[in-house]
Amino acid sequence: MVNDIIVVGAGVSGLTSALLLSRSKANTVTVIAKHMPGDYDIEYASPWAGANFLPMATAKHSRWERRTWPELARLVEQVPEAGIHFQTSRIFRREKDMQGSSCPTDPMFDRDPWFQSVLPDYKELDAAADPRGHDSGCEFKSLCINTAMYLQWLVGQCLRNGVVFKRAIISHIKEARAYKRADTAASPPAITIIINATGLGSLKLGGVQDESMAPARGQIVLVRNELHPMHTTSGTDDGTSEILYAMQRPAGGGTILGGTYDIGNWESVPDPNIALRIMRRVVDLCPEIAGGKGIEGLSVVRHAAGLRPYRKLGVRVEKEALDDGTWVVHNYGHAGWGYQGSYGCAEAVVELVNEIRVLNGQDLASEPK
Ligand code: FAD
């Protein structure tokens, strides 16, 4: 007897959950999703991410990122085809951003951050290294993911473990039960468990309808120009929803210039004025990216916008028994840190699935590995 696991969602959260669950012989795993790697849609966040590793959790909630760093670093060192590389990250602070009510809450701007013992080579920069307009800064070893490659790599790893993928749109979470595996039909599964990794879809999905979800729109510019190290600043003078970051993806993936973090904005079309401000800010901070030619020196691949799955209450990773007894394990609401928390959250999904199995009388200690 095996457990029939249906993962709803093929973003980084669903795929990483499917990968870890498929490592156990006790589970068969099916992934169903409206969007799959290779698709580009405003409501499918994963392809739009930079994606880099800049800790955003407080020390108290840092488990997801602490647990993810070692695995992503291992992939950089041992699995080049996953499409991830190390890149030094420089963070710059302005005193005016660090004070008052608009002070950035991300711990990446802290002066004594919890992650200095996790991410290698952390150091405060001396004042001479800070670019114009910035008062202090720090540097550490981070990484950047070529998301187009990495999502496909995750699908490949899942397929290797026997995961089945299907395109489907469900309107109620219980509909996922219809995708139980045919090969377990003859011998009924021990339990059927649905993993809800629908990201922003959890706002409207029947049976979930989580009203604390909202889009946090991110507009970006992808350019061919190269940039090392990656840069992030504590604020800009263009409004609180406009931010500044730049990172180079590995394996010819281009350099991402960002951006915006605009909660409640669903607009799918990139705004040309915002695009201009994004490019100006990056070129002002690092003129070398454009060979000193200003934004004329940028070679644009595309302008784009994606919606981060923001959750006012923070990420939801928990199990829930529906009114008919169906078990759902939720893994959604990762806002702007879905990649850098992906393994930590997926590990927690496995733990919750195992708790449900124990509640259903399964003896985990005696099963084949
Ligand atoms: P998604 O990728 O949105 O996937 C949701 C899945 O659920 C999709 O397959 C969708 O089709 C499916 N689905 C939804 N509803 C239904 C339904 N009813 N029926 C069937 N299927 C359904 N993160 C980082 O870690 N580092 C970064 O540097 C970073 N930068 C970012 C920059 C931008 C501009 C953006 C937009 C995001 C960034 N993020 C970053 C955040 C990251 O992209 C997200 O946190 C992450 O992609 C969320 O993944 P997910 O799998 O939870 O959701």
Side-chain angles (χ1 to χ4, degrees):
M1 272 207 307
V2 291
N3 304 297
D4 211 333
I5 314 268
I6 299 121
V7 178
V8 190
V12 69
S13 310
L15 294 174
T16 315
S17 301
L19 177 60
L20 300 200
L21 287 163
S22 68
R23 288 180 180 160
S24 165
K25 288 193 170 61
N27 304 323
T28 64
V29 181
T30 304
V31 175
I32 63 166
K34 181 176 176 185
H35 303 102
M36 294 280 180
D39 297 348
Y40 285 91
D41 186 282
I42 182 81
E43 292 181 27
Y44 181 30
S46 293
W48 303 117
N52 62 10
F53 197 110
L54 297 181
M56 293 177 191
T58 57
K60 189 174 163 207
H61 297 108
S62 62
R63 172 189 168 184
W64 317 125
E65 291 168 339
R66 276 181 202 276
R67 299 288 303 174
T68 301
W69 172 261
E71 180 56 13
L72 292 180
R74 186 190 73 80
L75 293 177
V76 175
E77 284 161 353
Q78 298 176 17
V79 188
E81 64 273 24
I84 311 177
H85 68 177
F86 286 129
Q87 198 175 15
T88 298
S89 172
R90 285 192 172 175
I91 307 248
F92 297 108
R93 313 177 192 101
R94 305 186 304 182
E95 273 318 309
K96 63 179 172 185
D97 299 326
M98 304 305 291
Q99 290 158 7
S101 57
S102 61
C103 173
T105 49
D106 285 343
M108 72 173 110
F109 300 111
D110 289 355
R111 288 205 169 73
D112 186 18
W114 62 263
F115 61 83
Q116 60 187 305
S117 60
V118 177
L119 300 188
D121 308 333
Y122 181 93
K123 65 175 187 205
E124 281 291 309
L125 295 171
D126 58 40
D130 298 338
R132 185 169 47 86
H134 293 86
D135 302 300
S136 66
C138 67
E139 182 181 288
F140 51 89
K141 188 174 188 172
S142 178
L143 52 78
C144 184
I145 304 172
N146 181 331
T147 56
M149 286 182 73
Y150 182 62
L151 293 171
Q152 297 285 7
W153 179 82
L154 283 173
V155 171
Q157 297 304 297
C158 287
L159 289 171
R160 186 185 279 268
N161 289 353
V163 175
V164 168
F165 286 84
K166 287 182 189 291
R167 291 263 182 185
I169 303 176
I170 57 169
S171 55
H172 194 286
I173 190 70
K174 286 181 191 170
E175 290 171 25
R177 283 180 310 195
Y179 295 87
K180 282 187 199 176
R181 287 279 278 276
D183 54 357
T184 56
S187 121
I191 352 167
T192 301
I193 302 173
I194 299 166
I195 312 298
N196 172 29
T198 54
L200 192 53
S202 290
L203 175 62
K204 293 179 189 154
L205 181 61
V208 183
Q209 288 170 320
D210 184 339
E211 290 185 359
S212 66
M213 291 295 295
R217 182 178 186 273
Q219 184 166 326
I220 49 122
V221 186
L222 178 67
V223 298
R224 296 182 181 85
N225 308 63
E226 302 204 335
L227 180 70
H228 291 287
M230 65 174 93
H231 289 71
T232 309
T233 68
S234 57
T236 73
D237 291 328
D238 294 324
T240 49
S241 64
E242 299 216 11
I243 55 181
L244 199 177
Y245 61 88
M247 71 193 85
Q248 187 176 325
R249 287 172 166 174
T255 298
I256 294 280
L257 314 183
T260 59
Y261 195 97
D262 195 3
I263 296 174
N265 185 345
W266 290 86
E267 180 55 60
S268 62
V269 180
D271 178 323
N273 293 318
I274 293 178
L276 208 55
R277 292 199 291 273
I278 290 173
M279 293 189 286
R280 274 213 189 105
R281 288 193 297 259
V282 173
V283 168
D284 281 353
L285 187 75
C286 351
E288 68 278 13
I289 188 174
K293 295 181 189 151
I295 63 172
E296 299 297 314
L298 294 175
S299 172
V300 176
V301 179
R302 85 166 68 94
H303 295 279
L307 303 180
R308 301 173 182 90
Y310 169 81
R311 188 167 185 261
K312 199 174 173 186
L313 307 171
V315 71
R316 185 175 185 200
V317 183
E318 65 181 10
K319 64 180 187 298
E320 181 186 16
L322 300 182
D323 49 11
D324 64 351
T326 305
W327 281 104
V328 178
V329 174
H330 299 282
N331 183 15
Y332 69 85
H334 305 79
W337 54 271
Y339 283 84
Q340 64 198 41
S342 55
Y343 283 89
C345 291
E347 274 181 1
V349 167
V350 173
E351 287 166 14
L352 291 166
V353 163
N354 286 342
E355 283 177 21
I356 295 168
R357 293 175 56 203
V358 170
L359 286 174
N360 280 267
Q362 293 185 30
D363 177 7
L364 307 191
S366 66
E367 71 187 25
K369 298 282 178 231

